[in-house]
């Protein structure tokens, strides 16, 4: 018998009832344009989540959502179907993703957060935890494929009204979350060998995101004098995308720090899991340096029963070439890993060694020192930094001035200009580079260290460069860093020459990247 699928080169994906929605299922979460979150898709997706949680015998799932226009709408679909499957829903209302994770940790470890994090206002998304663990890329694809097992139903207007009108008593989680953080800080301070000798005035930019409802209370109750910007939840994000790492996005915060004569500025992304910092001079602290400071804090403040253990510090492949040496100087063990906060979180949860901290260039930071819930939480990371800074003899700007200097480009997202996938391009680039390096084997030219755990990274004594596939679209991300501008440009030219052998247009894009 002729296999018609093979004859016409039809795949199972081609037969999927929600083929247009396949692009929503990313490496870390579900995310994409709101127009794809149709009622029939949400109905099937909610069934998929209910089946997923039933498979692990979940009895309670916490659900929260961010400030986006349709986040509550999506959350209602999910809650309705879980309730129908006799799974208790703890309805958190509008919260941050870390607050959802905290509440999940207080229950069975199951939770859903309807959020698109730092993305544009028309983008929506969903993150989730099953038994405390974020889904892997394959788990996310499995959820998509499992939707084929449910009948496609376009909910009637009556059913949609029923779903939207379902009442779930909102669980007020902020008090417990706040109390747990203060207990963590008190415990840290009990072990501290120095006392706080500085008061701090802060400027906090909530970017009209999910931290807007909580940041002022959390930081003021902790004893800080706070000026808060953009702390009204607004689905339109009138000042721009809620992404503190976006070029120029911290300009308002920098100006406010100077105007209010503040000691430091903190910026949180749309769902409160990413942090960026501005010093008292109104200068943004590079994410590399912020990562090092927080890693150093985790090493210094390790609990007495943890100090003898293996203090591994995990950082992603886009981080500075100075970072491993700095970590070693502080007694830590540097470990480079793939980019992705959920991947890092899973790594911390499963490693047999004692990995005390993980962070990535985008501003995700995870403390694994036992004081608080293991999750990338921007407000908690900010409080850990402030609590440590208060005991230091120098202000933040002076501390940063003691760190090695380098010049870097931003993490640039460049589209693929031909029809091939980003991963295919990277694979070819890796092969080409390895061949080129083999040809240098007997030459006097010092070969760079090559790392291929996530794209192509070349490390030199004076800097590094990286090209890797984006996990959120068919883009390549590119970054260069050097001790001097000349060092950076030299490394950049090496990558331009390599890329030109594969794609002239892409090489031209790489060539015009400018440092920050």
């Amino acid at each position: 018998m002729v296999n018609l699928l093979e004859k016409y080169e039809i795949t199972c994906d081609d037969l999927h009832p929600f083929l247009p929605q396949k692009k929503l299922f990313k490496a870390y979460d579900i995310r994409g344009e709101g127009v794809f979150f149709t009622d029939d898709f949400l109905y099937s997706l909610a069934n998929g989540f209910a089946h997923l949680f039933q498979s692990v015998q979940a009895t309670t799932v916490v659900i929260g959502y961010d400030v986006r226009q349709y986040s509550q709408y999506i959350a209602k679909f999910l809650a309705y179907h879980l309730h129908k499957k006799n799974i208790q829903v703890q309805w958190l209302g509008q919260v941050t993703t870390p607050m959802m994770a905290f509440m999940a940790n207080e229950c069975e470890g199951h939770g859903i957060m309807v959020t698109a994090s730092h993305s544009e206002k028309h983008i929506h998304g969903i993150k989730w935890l099953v038994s405390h663990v974020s889904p892997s890329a394959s788990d996310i694809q499995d959820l998509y494929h499992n939707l084929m097992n449910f009948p496609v139903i376009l909910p009637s207007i009556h059913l949609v009204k029923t779903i939207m009108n379902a009442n779930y008593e909102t669980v007020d989680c902020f008090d417990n979350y706040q109390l747990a953080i203060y207990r963590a800080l008190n415990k840290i301070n009990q072990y501290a060998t120095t006392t706080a000798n500085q008061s701090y005035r802060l400027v906090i930019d909530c970017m009209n995101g999910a931290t807007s409802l909580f940041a002022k209370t959390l930081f003021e109750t902790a004893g800080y004098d706070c000026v808060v910007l953009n702390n009204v939840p607004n689905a339109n994000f009138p000042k721009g995308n809620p992404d503190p790492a976006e070029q120029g996005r911290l300009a308002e915060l920098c100006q406010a720090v100077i105007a209010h004569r503040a000691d430091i500025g903190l910026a949180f992304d749309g769902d409160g899991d990413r942090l960026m910092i501005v010093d008292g001079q109104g200068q943004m602290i590079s994410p590399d340096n912020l990562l090092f400071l927080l890693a150093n804090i985790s090493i210094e403040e390790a609990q007495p029963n943890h100090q003898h253990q293996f203090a591994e510090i995990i950082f992603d492949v886009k981080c500075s070439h100075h970072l491993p040496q700095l970590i070693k100087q502080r007694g830590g063990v540097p470990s480079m890993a793939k980019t992705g906060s959920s991947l890092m979180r899973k790594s911390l949860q499963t490693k047999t060694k004692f990995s005390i901290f993980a962070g990535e260039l985008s501003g995700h930071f995870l403390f694994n020192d036992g004081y608080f819930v293991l999750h990338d939480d921007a407000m908690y990371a900010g409080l850990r930094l402030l609590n440590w800074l208060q005991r230091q003899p120098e202000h933040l700007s002076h501390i940063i001035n003691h760190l090695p200097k380098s010049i870097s480009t931003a993490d640039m997202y460049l589209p693929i200009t031909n029809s091939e996938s980003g991963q295919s391009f990277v694979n070819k680039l890796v092969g080409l580079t390895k061949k080129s390096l083999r040809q240098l084997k007997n030459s006097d030219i010092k070969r760079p260290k090559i790392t291929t755990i996530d794209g192509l990274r070349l490390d030199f004594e004076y800097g590094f460069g990286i090209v890797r596939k984006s996990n959120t679209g068919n883009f390549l991300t590119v970054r260069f860093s050097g001790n001097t501008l000349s060092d950076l440009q030299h490394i950049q030219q090496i990558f331009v020459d390599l890329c030109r052998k594969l794609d002239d247009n892409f090489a031209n894009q790489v060539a015009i990247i400018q440092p920050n």
Side-chain angles (χ1 to χ4, degrees), residues 449-467:
K449 177 184 176 184
I450 182 170
T451 303
T452 59
I453 57 173
D454 187 5
L456 171 68
R457 173 172 170 139
L458 297 180
D459 274 279
F460 304 80
E461 291 181 355
Y462 47 84
F464 80 96
I466 184 168
V467 176

Side-chain angles (χ1 to χ4, degrees), residues 433-450 458-462 494:
T433 304
K434 287 182 176 179
K435 181 180 178 181
S436 299
L437 292 180
R438 284 195 298 268
Q439 293 172 350
L440 292 175
K441 187 174 182 180
N442 298 318
S443 73
D444 294 331
I445 301 174
K446 190 165 185 179
R447 297 193 301 164
K449 177 184 176 184
I450 182 170
L458 297 180
D459 274 279
F460 304 80
E461 291 181 355
Y462 47 84
I494 289 172

Side-chain angles (χ1 to χ4, degrees), residues 414 480 492-493 496 500 506-514:
L414 303 181
F480 304 110
Q492 183 175 2
Q493 188 58 50
V496 170
R500 198 167 300 285
F506 185 76
N508 291 336
Q509 292 182 73
V510 174
I512 62 174
I513 294 174
Q514 296 294 317

Side-chain angles (χ1 to χ4, degrees), residues 225-268:
D225 178 13
C226 298
V227 175
V228 187
L229 309 175
N230 306 310
N231 65 329
V232 177
N234 190 328
N236 290 316
F237 303 117
K239 298 290 182 66
N241 298 331
D243 182 358
E246 194 173 274
Q247 194 84 359
R249 192 62 179 85
L250 297 185
E252 183 182 8
L253 178 61
C254 293
Q255 294 166 6
V257 166
I258 295 172
H260 292 281
R261 297 182 179 179
D263 299 288
I264 193 172
L266 291 76
F268 308 128

Side-chain angles (χ1 to χ4, degrees), residues 353-364:
K353 303 177 204 173
F354 190 70
S355 306
I356 199 169
F357 179 85
E360 65 171 2
L361 195 73
S362 64
H364 288 278

Side-chain angles (χ1 to χ4, degrees), residues 176-209:
N176 289 339
Y177 167 81
Q178 181 177 236
L179 182 59
I181 289 179
Y182 294 160
R183 283 174 175 165
L185 296 175
N186 287 336
K187 189 172 184 180
I188 289 167
N189 291 335
Q190 288 174 10
Y191 297 137
T193 57
T194 57
T195 56
N197 57 15
Q198 294 190 42
S199 60
Y200 265 72
R201 189 173 205 201
L202 322 177
V203 179
I204 299 173
D205 190 348
C206 297
M207 298 196 169
N208 300 112

